[in-house]
Amino acid sequence: MSWHPQYRSSKFRHVYGKAASKEKCYDCVPITRNVHDNHFCAVNPYFIAVVTECAGGGTFLVIPIKQTGKLNPNHPKICGHKGNVLDIKWNPFNDFVIASCSEDATVKIWDIPKHLLTENITRPKKELLGHTRRVGLIEWHPTANNILFSSGYDYKIMIWNLDDTGAVISKPVKILDAHKDVVLSMSFNTDGSLLATACRDRKIRLLDPRAGTVLQEASYKSHKVNKVLFLGNMKKLFSTGTSRWNNRQIALWDQNDLSVPLLEEDLDGSSGLLFPFYDSDTHMLYVVGKGDGNIRYYEISPEKPYLNYLMEYRSQLPQKGVGMMPKRGLEVSACEIFRFYKLIPTKSLIEPISMIVPRRSESYQEDIYPLTTGDQPALTALEWLKGANKGPLLVSLRPGSGAVNSLPQFPESEPLVNTTSLSQHQGQGRRIPVEDMQKPSKIEDEDNWKELKVEEKLPKNEEVCLSNGFDVFECPPPKTENEV
């Protein structure tokens, strides 16, 4: 990595990676030996799911996030696929629903019981039958509820509406047939109106998923792309791959012009894949090397040089895959801004790695935790299919705020929606679309905002949910006699 001598002011310059202690790792996990280039791990605030090595068919484990230490060899499995499981993804709007795809050419949707698993789950909630060859990738839509994308070795991307009442869905709502080879990676922009793909034919494509049309196509010869990623609302794409001389390489692209990258840089001569992860809240980009123990991280800026190298986390233990905890599952009291779950097959170990901003104060750090994507959809499946676009609904991570702060709002906005249903709001107040929150000029000008009181009416007899280690439905304790 080239060294830039000029000084840059950044609150994330000293972010460091901290591996969890042995007792907080997940030990004796039979991690898959499959060589497919995927994460093989999916995480949410309740569970960690990992694809396992199993004879006679594809299985994966779902382990409660708090259940660290040695895994019981007889821990119940999810085992309904007839071939190896190639990808698993949690529903972003329901922490108890997970999708899996397999070499048996099917995609299955599973309901995970809210109590601890007591027996193997063999029957899925839904089965999606449409691909003619193995399915290697699945992605949930980032803002619309129950919309799932799947990509197979038949070179097709299929869009599924899971609101369909049938247990078996054999007809996708849309088939994208724009690729001439296997799709290696899929990524959505913030509101899910655009889809970027990386294909084995070395091309990056930008598609309108509802129309099925290719809007942009990169046929840049000297960058063989493996993974592609939208960088939030920055109108930029980031890709990892290899150069002509087989060096591992990263590249940055302008979303509106994919003819030549804005930036490309060789990293090293290793052969393992590079997995990119982007945090749009902090504008930090993480590049995780498969087959080595390195995690490089950068800060993205809208102007040149665009990519500002921060540091590299190094470990002697190579990772086969990696899972990522959503922001709402982080430990904000420890100034944790990102958390990886690293799969180490040689030791049958899953090791959490926290990315931490060093701060002395133990109070909530507002500047490193802006409003972030919550667990509620902005659109129904039907609304999105009919052409509506909406950014994700944002929540606050401040402890004791009922997972949402008193949200700033423009004077001309509509009245506040009361929180009356757990199933709709999970104890959170009204959220603000991400496109309104990501306009710096309006955020900085505090005179444009007006205070808003959040009325929290919470159901008394609903199931308790924990977030960041505290009960989100529990009122904060009284501090004075008058409050009592």
Side-chain angles (χ1 to χ4, degrees):
M1 171 57 65
S2 58
W3 180 69
H4 302 291
Q6 66 268 28
Y7 176 79
R8 275 187 64 257
S9 174
S10 167
K11 65 187 78 161
F12 302 111
R13 279 199 318 146
H14 303 293
V15 168
Y16 66 95
K18 182 182 178 183
S21 57
K22 180 75 173 176
E23 60 269 15
K24 292 187 178 177
C25 294
Y26 304 82
D27 204 357
C28 304
V29 182
I31 298 165
T32 180
R33 306 277 173 180
N34 196 310
V35 295
H36 192 71
D37 285 332
N38 259 346
H39 297 150
F40 295 121
C41 181
V43 188
N44 70 26
Y46 293 93
F47 299 108
I48 176 168
V50 58
V51 180
T52 61
E53 190 66 20
C54 180
T59 66
F60 61 96
L61 289 170
V62 172
I63 308 166
I65 207 82
K66 303 287 186 190
Q67 191 181 312
T68 54
K70 287 192 175 182
L71 184 75
N72 184 340
N74 299 317
H75 186 88
K77 299 178 176 67
I78 287 80
C79 47
H81 283 289
K82 295 183 176 67
N84 289 327
V85 175
L86 299 180
D87 199 10
I88 48 176
K89 292 276 167 53
W90 289 104
N91 185 334
F93 310 121
N94 187 336
D95 289 334
F96 300 93
V97 171
I98 190 168
S100 63
C101 64
S102 164
E103 290 181 349
D104 64 10
T106 67
V107 179
K108 296 182 193 286
I109 313 298
W110 308 87
D111 263 342
I112 306 301
K114 295 189 180 183
H115 54 80
L116 294 178
L117 275 74
T118 54
E119 58 184 4
N120 289 356
I121 298 177
T122 55
R123 298 195 61 180
K125 176 185 179 183
K126 288 184 187 294
E127 192 169 9
L128 314 181
L129 306 175
H131 288 282
T132 54
R133 297 182 66 190
R134 60 181 168 168
V135 187
L137 274 178
I138 45 177
E139 289 288 346
W140 293 91
H141 191 277
T143 61
N145 199 23
N146 284 334
I147 292 286
L148 184 72
F149 283 58
S150 64
S151 164
Y153 278 64
D154 51 8
Y155 310 158
K156 292 179 172 60
I157 295 175
M158 297 188 179
I159 306 175
W160 306 89
N161 180 2
L162 304 185
D163 283 341
D164 193 309
T165 53
V168 177
I169 304 174
S170 53
K171 191 175 180 185
V173 291
K174 183 80 180 174
I175 298 176
L176 309 182
D177 200 4
H179 299 86
K180 301 289 185 279
D181 209 328
V182 178
V183 175
L184 303 173
S185 174
M186 296 189 287
S187 177
F188 291 98
N189 65 343
T190 306
D191 63 6
S193 59
L194 295 173
L195 176 71
T197 63
C199 183
R200 197 179 278 167
D201 63 9
R202 304 187 178 198
K203 294 182 180 179
I204 296 173
R205 290 175 177 84
L206 193 64
L207 300 101
D208 179 335
R210 284 169 294 209
T213 53
V214 178
L215 307 175
Q216 289 274 331
E217 186 173 290
S219 50
Y220 187 67
K221 301 295 183 194
S222 64
H223 179 72
K224 183 182 178 184
V225 64
N226 283 322
K227 298 289 179 186
V228 68
L229 192 66
F230 259 105
L231 299 183
N233 276 341
M234 286 197 157
K235 297 193 181 299
K236 289 181 176 62
L237 294 170
F238 179 82
S239 66
T240 66
T242 52
S243 69
R244 284 178 178 170
W245 298 275
N246 271 350
N247 290 326
R248 293 202 294 193
Q249 191 180 58
I250 58 175
L252 192 69
W253 308 80
D254 182 347
Q255 173 184 311
N256 300 316
D257 180 14
L258 297 181
S259 57
V260 178
L262 296 170
L263 176 112
E264 61 178 323
E265 192 157 350
D266 286 14
L267 294 188
D268 55 36
S270 299
S271 58
L273 197 73
L274 294 168
F275 296 119
F277 296 88
Y278 181 64
D279 180 359
S280 57
D281 299 342
T282 60
H283 303 298
M284 282 183 68
L285 175 77
Y286 302 86
V287 180
V288 182
K290 181 180 177 181
D292 59 47
N294 300 349
I295 300 174
R296 296 171 174 88
Y297 41 104
Y298 306 80
E299 201 170 358
I300 302 291
S301 57
E303 302 88 24
K304 286 185 178 181
Y306 305 119
L307 204 60
N308 301 294
Y309 176 71
L310 293 174
M311 218 183 291
E312 184 173 354
Y313 169 84
R314 295 189 178 187
S315 163
Q316 297 299 317
L317 298 171
Q319 55 244 356
K320 180 184 182 67
V322 68
M324 181 200 82
M325 173 66 81
K327 268 301 185 61
R328 54 198 171 87
L330 298 181
E331 198 67 51
V332 295
S333 60
C335 295
E336 183 185 36
I337 56 168
F338 216 78
R339 191 191 303 159
F340 294 102
Y341 285 79
K342 171 177 167 177
L343 304 187
I344 309 169
T346 53
K347 290 185 172 287
S348 299
L349 189 72
I350 304 175
E351 180 184 53
I353 297 171
S354 299
M355 309 307 294
I356 293 171
V357 179
R359 294 275 173 97
R360 291 192 179 187
S361 172
E362 293 183 5
S363 61
Y364 179 70
Q365 305 291 306
E366 194 104 39
D367 61 325
I368 61 174
Y369 295 114
L371 295 182
T372 190
T373 304
D375 61 353
Q376 297 298 312
L379 296 167
T380 64
L382 201 57
E383 285 170 342
W384 183 78
L385 290 169
K386 286 182 176 178
N389 291 322
K390 201 172 180 184
L393 301 178
L394 303 180
V395 297
S396 169
L397 297 178
R398 179 186 288 277
S401 64
V404 68
N405 219 0
S406 292
L407 300 183
Q409 196 163 14
F410 290 114
E412 64 269 22
S413 294
E414 57 194 15
L416 177 72
V417 178
N418 286 346
T419 309
T420 53
S421 167
L422 175 68
S423 62
Q424 291 177 345
H425 292 278
Q426 284 284 353
Q428 296 163 358
R430 186 181 184 277
R431 296 155 175 84
I432 293 184
V434 68
E435 53 266 26
D436 289 347
M437 297 304 303
Q438 293 194 348
K439 298 175 182 174
S441 60
K442 292 183 180 176
I443 291 175
E444 289 162 10
D445 185 5
E446 293 185 359
D447 293 331
N448 286 344
W449 303 101
K450 84 169 183 180
E451 280 191 13
L452 194 65
K453 293 181 181 177
V454 176
E455 188 176 341
E456 295 178 350
K457 293 182 181 177
L458 302 173
K460 294 178 182 176
N461 54 355
E462 293 286 352
E463 182 169 343
V464 170
C465 291
L466 294 177
S467 173
N468 289 341
F470 63 89
D471 184 348
V472 297
F473 300 137
E474 193 178 85
C475 294
K479 294 177 182 175
T480 65
E481 287 185 22
N482 291 335
E483 288 181 9
V484 175

